[in-house]
Amino acid sequence: MKKVVKFGGSSLASAEQFKKAARIINKDESRRYVVPSAPGKRMPGDTKVTDMLYRCYNLAIMDDEYEDEFEEQMSAIRARYDEIITGLGLSIDLSEEFKTIRMEFSRKAGRSYAASRGEYLNGILMAEYLGYEFIDAAEVICFDEEGNFDGERTNELLSERLADTPRAVIPGFYGAMPNGRVKTFSRGGSDITGSIVAKAVRADIYENWTDVSGFLIADPGVVKNPKAIDVITYRELRELSYMGATVLHEDAIFPVRKEGIPIHIRNTNSPEDKGTLIVEGTCRKPRFVITGIAGKKDFASITVEKAMMNSEVGFCKKVLEVFEENEISIEHMPSGIDTMTIFVHQDEFEEKEQKVIAGIHRRVEPDFLELESDLALIAVVGRGMKATRGTSGRIFSALAHANVNVKMIDQGSSELNIIIGVRNHDFKDAINAIYDIFVNTMI
Ligand code: ASP
């Protein structure tokens, strides 16, 4: 059995957290490949090392007058690592590493290089502490000349390299372009590295250790003490993350999904908790009819009405072109017989609204155009909905009882999700009503 384990920033923020991570790794000898993030926040209000590095690099490339501030920032970063080294009782000295980093900063090696040092140095410490081999991600995670991740080349290199390496630490978040320049993924990208490594070694499971016990059915900022999700499919997860639920980087599912490798989200601070298992498919009955609820606020909608629009070839295309020309991305698009409604992000739309209205008039000569703002979209997601009658009925009666006016309903043909549009100010009540009817009453 082979497991790849990724530890997030808060799981490695201090020597204490390092010890917890090492205990987890040492408890199961199949945890052979470790992907660390940079040290994160030790307590609320603390700063992640990645943010310190970005700041430090900005100071490094500014005028001499910022030199003192730069020195201060650099020492603060060094202190974060030294604190871990001392706390773990390691004898390693990072002086040479810091000399190189200073030199590269003065040569303007780039923001990516700067940020990547957080994971790089943490990887060195982790490897030393565990007695695992350290593999610099710049040698095995490849980006092309344009800076796009090169999955094929990476998989070739990495699987070859790890075939001869029984236990290794590979820092997350970065790789290198063909010219050797370091390149990072977007923020939170160590999750992606973990997934890439899991694919390369054909792991049985990719464990993603973080500071929460998995995905929750709803946002705890909206619903009080929501229950955790035991098992979720990749498709359900996509739907929920698209609607704003975050725990895992969105792109982290692609490498493992193709290989059928499950991801297990677990809590470093509470390793006995079950966590959430993310799988391609499962026969296991979900605990509740719905798997999760997520939503986003601040949308505007544009409804275009024209009699017989369905028989006009290219009608939708012409409307959508207006949005494309104005560089407005479309979030959602329910339609009726003679109407189509386009949901867009309000902030993106507001400044261009008159151009869009004029464009639609010119293109399709609608009978009527209606704009609405301050709308929220809520996705109710669950593989269990397909096999259960009356799900939407229950949702809408719950919303009616909560006095929430439903502005829009859209059920995907997969029957995996129902999207509901409500007013921004009904957002919280709507989510609570849905949670209540499916989870608290548990019928
Ligand atoms: N350290 C990086 C960040 O803060 C990457 C990661 O933690 O996944 O975004």
Side-chain angles (χ1 to χ4, degrees):
M1 184 120 169
K2 243 185 269 169
K3 289 182 183 169
V4 170
V5 287
K6 180 256 163 180
F7 286 89
S10 54
S11 301
L12 299 173
S14 63
E16 268 332 292
Q17 292 299 90
F18 255 76
K19 285 182 193 165
K20 287 185 196 168
R23 232 175 279 137
I24 290 165
I25 297 165
N26 291 330
K27 206 168 166 207
D28 179 347
E29 62 151 46
S30 58
R31 294 185 173 128
R32 288 169 42 184
Y33 300 103
V34 181
V35 176
S37 278
K41 295 183 183 187
R42 291 161 292 185
M43 71 288 275
D46 197 13
T47 312
K48 290 175 163 194
V49 165
T50 310
D51 292 314
M52 295 168 89
L53 284 160
Y54 278 128
R55 191 171 146 64
C56 188
Y57 185 70
N58 286 346
L59 293 165
I61 58 176
M62 289 206 283
D63 302 341
D64 289 349
E65 59 178 297
Y66 291 97
E67 206 178 316
D68 289 350
E69 240 183 285
F70 164 77
E71 287 300 335
E72 218 174 275
Q73 194 65 26
M74 193 52 115
S75 317
I77 295 167
R78 174 94 198 245
R80 291 289 305 262
Y81 289 100
D82 284 344
E83 187 189 298
I84 296 171
I85 292 173
T86 317
L88 297 179
L90 296 174
S91 52
I92 194 168
D93 177 13
L94 294 177
S95 299
E96 279 306 307
E97 296 294 348
F98 272 93
K99 220 190 262 172
T100 310
I101 292 171
R102 279 170 173 275
M103 206 174 69
E104 291 297 327
F105 273 31
S106 63
R107 290 210 314 229
K108 298 200 167 59
R111 277 171 59 78
S112 259
Y113 169 80
S116 73
R117 295 307 87 185
E119 273 64 13
Y120 171 79
L121 295 172
N122 235 18
I124 292 177
L125 299 192
M126 188 50 129
E128 178 79 9
Y129 189 48
L130 293 171
Y132 280 24
E133 186 173 326
F134 172 76
I135 298 180
D136 186 354
E139 292 169 20
V140 284
I141 305 285
C142 311
F143 289 82
D144 65 17
E145 285 87 356
E146 270 93 55
N148 300 313
F149 171 61
D150 184 344
E152 227 168 276
R153 179 149 173 67
T154 299
N155 200 48
E156 226 174 84
L157 263 179
L158 194 56
S159 48
E160 208 174 286
R161 177 78 182 264
L162 295 182
D164 307 326
T165 319
R167 293 178 186 277
V169 174
I170 307 110
F173 192 38
Y174 72 94
M177 302 204 284
N179 62 6
R181 205 173 164 89
V182 166
K183 173 91 182 84
T184 53
F185 292 108
S186 56
R187 294 298 303 262
S190 297
D191 284 341
I192 310 175
T193 311
S195 181
I196 294 166
V197 174
K199 174 180 166 150
V201 300
R202 298 228 155 118
D204 295 279
I205 197 154
Y206 165 27
E207 288 182 342
N208 189 296
W209 291 84
T210 174
D211 52 9
V212 288
S213 295
F215 286 100
L216 300 172
I217 294 179
D219 179 350
V222 176
V223 172
K224 215 167 150 209
N225 288 330
K227 292 198 165 48
I229 301 172
D230 301 344
V231 183
I232 187 170
T233 65
Y234 285 122
R235 286 173 68 207
E236 289 173 311
L237 182 65
R238 276 290 288 160
E239 302 279 352
L240 288 173
S241 349
Y242 185 69
M243 272 296 183
T246 51
V247 167
L248 190 71
H249 192 296
E250 264 197 293
D251 295 340
I253 62 176
F254 297 112
V256 283
R257 183 177 179 171
K258 281 210 180 117
E259 304 292 313
I261 301 170
I263 305 177
H264 198 175
I265 308 283
R266 303 197 57 180
N267 190 348
T268 306
N269 303 317
S270 194
E272 59 292 336
D273 286 357
K274 264 172 90 182
T276 300
L277 193 64
I278 311 166
V279 295
E280 174 68 43
T282 174
C283 289
R284 280 205 247 171
K285 278 233 155 48
R287 240 162 105 204
F288 310 104
V289 174
I290 61 162
T291 304
I293 317 164
K296 286 198 239 177
K297 283 186 179 176
D298 298 328
F299 290 99
S301 73
I302 304 95
T303 300
V304 185
E305 190 175 322
K306 188 175 184 186
M308 308 298 286
M309 74 176 223
N310 275 0
S311 52
E312 194 176 319
V313 176
F315 186 92
C316 292
K317 177 173 171 256
K318 286 181 212 157
V319 172
L320 296 184
E321 270 168 4
V322 178
F323 288 88
E324 186 184 352
E325 281 157 16
N326 286 287
E327 291 181 4
I328 299 172
S329 59
I330 290 166
E331 193 74 10
H332 213 69
M333 211 180 61
S335 64
I337 307 287
D338 288 329
T339 61
M340 67 184 281
T341 303
I342 292 115
F343 276 80
V344 291
H345 288 275
Q346 198 159 316
D347 54 352
E348 235 180 79
F349 177 66
E350 255 164 13
E351 54 190 82
K352 297 171 183 165
E353 64 172 19
Q354 296 310 318
K355 277 169 91 181
V356 174
I357 293 173
I360 297 176
H361 272 289
R362 233 171 283 137
R363 284 280 167 83
V364 296
E365 297 174 2
D367 298 336
F368 184 60
L369 258 188
E370 193 186 14
L371 302 190
E372 276 205 72
S373 56
D374 299 322
L375 298 173
L377 290 177
I378 296 169
V380 185
V381 176
R383 59 188 184 282
M385 300 199 303
K386 205 170 179 166
T388 318
R389 265 180 299 139
T391 309
S392 39
R394 286 173 73 194
I395 294 176
F396 297 116
S397 71
L399 291 175
H401 275 107
N403 268 329
V404 173
N405 181 23
V406 177
K407 309 285 301 173
M408 188 273 297
I409 307 160
D410 193 13
Q411 176 169 26
S413 51
S414 59
E415 291 186 56
L416 189 70
N417 69 353
I418 296 175
I419 310 251
I420 301 150
V422 298
R423 294 227 154 276
N424 269 347
H425 70 250
D426 286 331
F427 183 72
K428 201 168 174 177
D429 288 346
I431 293 186
N432 274 288
I434 300 168
Y435 182 87
D436 221 45
I437 197 79
F438 287 103
V439 182
N440 287 342
T441 47
M442 248 181 89
I443 319 163

